[in-house]
Structure formats: structure tokens, C-alpha cells
Amino acid sequence: MAKIDVIIPLYNGEDFILDTIKSVENNTFKDFNIIVVDDGSKDNSSKIVRNLAKNYGNILYFYKENSGVSSARNYGIERSNSKYLCFLDADDLHNPLFLEKLYEKISLKDSDLCLCGYNQLIDEKIYPKKTRFIKNDFLTNYLITKNKFHISCFMIKRDIILANKIKFFENTSYGEDIEFLSKVIKHSKNIELVKEYLTYYRIDPERDSLSSFNLKKIEDDVAYSFRLFDDKKLNLNDREKKALINHKLVGSIVNKLLKAIELGYDLDILRQIYNTYEPIIVDRTNIFGLRSLKLYLNTVKLQKKLGYDKI
């Protein structure tokens, strides 16, 4: 049994999956398996992974009918048997020291969770995503983005996932990682940090274009936020609840509406959406210092652009 399983969900990833798997294989730490879950790819992804598996003895390839990234990740969890799990998307990359440094930290104190920082990879240029690495009040600082982490940054003790029956929510295509990781963080009794930037999150420069932007993501934001809020097993404290609903959710709604205005959406439609979520927006909190101030200013900006006089 390997010490670590790296789970890679895959769907039509022929452009990047070779580089992704090779980046994992190039880790200096070698006691790991790669679990590739092909979620019904129609391109050459399967052929690429199968060929790689012939050269590496630690690649486990599974094919399933297309059900989305959450289903693929859950499938991978069910087929893992290592003490620790990591997740990597099919177009993202590891630094060669990622597994070594996180495993050293998490195993030394038998911690439940270990994280590092990540880099944004845009047009093959690397931009570290600056984060604060704050251990105290970790979930709150994650939700208000003082702690900025991507799913690729996490090394998780598998027992935490199994004991608390944590799964990726499958009936959505957005926000599933935040919901899953928030549960992992909350159930982790001890968390360690490697204050280095050791993964690479590939960003498509066109992702914010009109063709890829979708206002339905607001509904998904609201849905996962209240699933977390209403989860009695999480036992969120008041500060975490305010970070989740009265800060993060408000910010998600406001920022998406501002983006929609920038992209030229019909203002009447955006006013209807604003009115729907106005009770949430006006209930924002002011307890998070400069982040609360920035949210307030963005809310004022949004309201002016929508033609309203006051918040």
C-alpha cells in the first residue's frame, strides 16, 4: 500500500494530461499511486494515460460514464487505500517537492491536514497566489480569503474523509471544491502548513469571457453556502457563519453581478437578480476589517451601476 494517493479526475484532457501526470511522477517522494478517473472522455485522453501506465507501475486508470468532476473525485476516493489523499486537476501541475514536503510535515505530527501555497499558470507564466498561511481560526480565514488555497494544495488524512462521510456534492458543476474542503478543514483537529508555493493551477485567459461566464453560478454559491450553514455536524461557530454567509456569499453575489455588468448583461435582468438576493446582500458583516470595507465599497459600486440610490 502506497503512503499517498493522488486522485486526478479526467475529462477530454488530452492537451495537458501527459504533463500533469509526468509532473506528479517527477516528485522526489516516490511512495505514491496516481488514481486517474476518466469521466467519459471522448478524445485521446484514455490512450495517453494507458500508454503512461505501461511505463509507470503506480498509475491506476478507471473509466466511468460521464457524471461530472465531483462524481469522478468521489469515485477516486472510494478506490483509494492510502493513508493520505491529494487531488489534482487534469491540467494542473506539481512542483517536484510537493509530496515530499507535505508528507514530511503531515506525518511528523500525524496531522489531519497539510497545505501549501499555489501558483497561477497563465500562458505558461507563473504567478504565485499570495496567501497569509494563518493557522489560527483557519476556516474563517479560508472563507474570507486571507488563506488562499486551491484544491491542489491539500494533503488530507483519508480517515478524516471516511469517518465524517465527506463527499463532493455531485449535483452541481461549481463550488463543490469549496464545500468539500470547508468540511475537511472543520473536521481536522490539527493542521500543518508548508509556507511554499508548490502546485500550479492553470488558468485559461478566456475563462472570464462572455462565452464562459454564467450567472447560474450565483445560485450554486447560495446553495453550497447554505448546505454548509445548515450542516449540524459541522457545528460552525458564529464567526465562521458570518464569514460564510455574511461575507463570502455576499462577495460572490456582488462580484458576479459587477462582472455581468462589465460583460454587458441586461440591467433589468441584473436588477431582478439583485432584488432576489438583496436580503443576503444587505446583511453583510463589517467584522473583517479591510475585507469588509472593500466589500462595502463594491456593494455601493454595484448599486450605483444598477441605478439604486442607497444600500
Side-chain angles (χ1 to χ4, degrees), residues 16 105 139 142 190 243 249 289 294:
F16 299 111
K105 203 74 176 281
L139 179 56
Y142 172 68
N190 41 24
L249 177 56
K294 182 178 179 180

Side-chain angles (χ1 to χ4, degrees), residues 2-220:
K3 290 183 171 64
I4 304 167
D5 285 331
V6 180
I7 297 173
I8 303 177
L10 172 64
Y11 179 72
N12 290 348
E14 63 180 6
D15 291 339
F16 299 111
I17 188 60
L18 177 64
D19 289 343
T20 295
I21 290 178
K22 284 191 173 182
S23 80
V24 181
E25 295 289 1
N26 286 337
N27 268 279
T28 54
F29 182 92
K30 296 299 183 182
D31 193 359
F32 65 90
N33 286 327
I34 300 175
I35 299 175
V36 179
V37 182
D38 187 341
D39 193 38
S41 294
K42 306 300 183 184
D43 62 2
N44 289 317
S45 296
S46 174
K47 181 179 179 181
I48 294 169
V49 176
R50 289 178 186 275
N51 284 337
L52 283 169
K54 294 176 183 177
N55 299 322
Y56 299 100
N58 62 345
I59 298 176
L60 307 176
Y61 173 80
F62 299 94
Y63 180 89
K64 60 187 288 297
E65 293 300 315
N66 179 256
S67 301
V69 65
S70 291
S71 174
R73 287 172 177 157
N74 287 333
Y75 190 99
I77 293 171
E78 291 168 1
R79 280 147 187 83
S80 68
N81 59 12
S82 295
K83 185 172 183 178
Y84 301 106
L85 296 182
C86 300
F87 297 93
L88 190 67
D89 289 344
D91 56 351
D92 296 338
L93 304 169
H94 275 178
N95 179 293
L97 294 174
F98 171 77
L99 291 179
E100 177 183 336
K101 293 209 168 188
L102 270 71
Y103 179 78
E104 180 181 16
K105 203 74 176 281
I106 199 171
S107 61
L108 182 64
K109 297 185 178 180
D110 194 28
S111 300
D112 298 329
L113 176 63
C114 186
L115 303 94
C116 67
Y118 71 97
N119 301 281
Q120 293 179 325
L121 186 60
I122 306 174
D123 290 334
E124 304 308 314
K125 295 181 180 179
I126 297 170
Y127 305 90
K129 187 67 174 178
K130 296 300 183 182
T131 186
R132 297 283 296 278
F133 294 109
I134 302 171
K135 287 182 71 171
N136 293 334
D137 203 7
F138 192 89
L139 179 56
T140 294
N141 284 307
Y142 172 68
L143 293 171
I144 68 173
T145 67
K146 280 188 177 181
N147 285 335
K148 297 182 178 73
F149 297 108
H150 181 255
I151 190 168
S152 64
C153 304
F154 286 65
M155 183 176 286
I156 308 164
K157 184 182 287 184
R158 183 168 171 264
D159 284 349
I160 294 298
I161 295 173
L162 299 182
N164 296 288
K165 299 179 180 178
I166 303 173
K167 290 187 175 184
F168 288 91
F169 188 78
E170 296 189 9
N171 296 323
T172 185
S173 59
Y174 178 76
E176 76 290 335
D177 51 345
I178 299 173
E179 182 175 0
F180 178 90
L181 296 173
S182 294
K183 291 180 179 180
V184 168
I185 291 168
K186 185 62 177 176
H187 285 296
S188 295
K189 303 301 182 186
N190 41 24
I191 299 173
E192 293 297 326
L193 299 172
V194 173
K195 297 181 180 180
E196 299 180 51
Y197 298 82
L198 298 175
T199 66
Y200 301 87
Y201 168 44
R202 194 182 300 274
I203 293 179
D204 181 354
E206 301 299 317
R207 72 190 180 105
D208 287 332
S209 68
L210 182 59
S211 61
S212 62
F213 183 80
N214 189 347
L215 278 172
K216 186 185 179 299
K217 290 181 178 180
I218 293 179
E219 296 178 22
D220 295 331

Side-chain angles (χ1 to χ4, degrees), residues 258 261 267-268 270-271 274-275 299-311:
L258 285 171
I261 293 172
L267 288 180
D268 287 334
L270 298 182
R271 289 187 190 101
Y274 178 91
N275 291 339
T299 308
V300 171
K301 179 180 178 181
L302 172 63
Q303 190 159 26
K304 287 182 178 178
K305 286 181 177 292
L306 292 176
Y308 295 135
D309 294 327
K310 61 181 180 179
I311 298 176

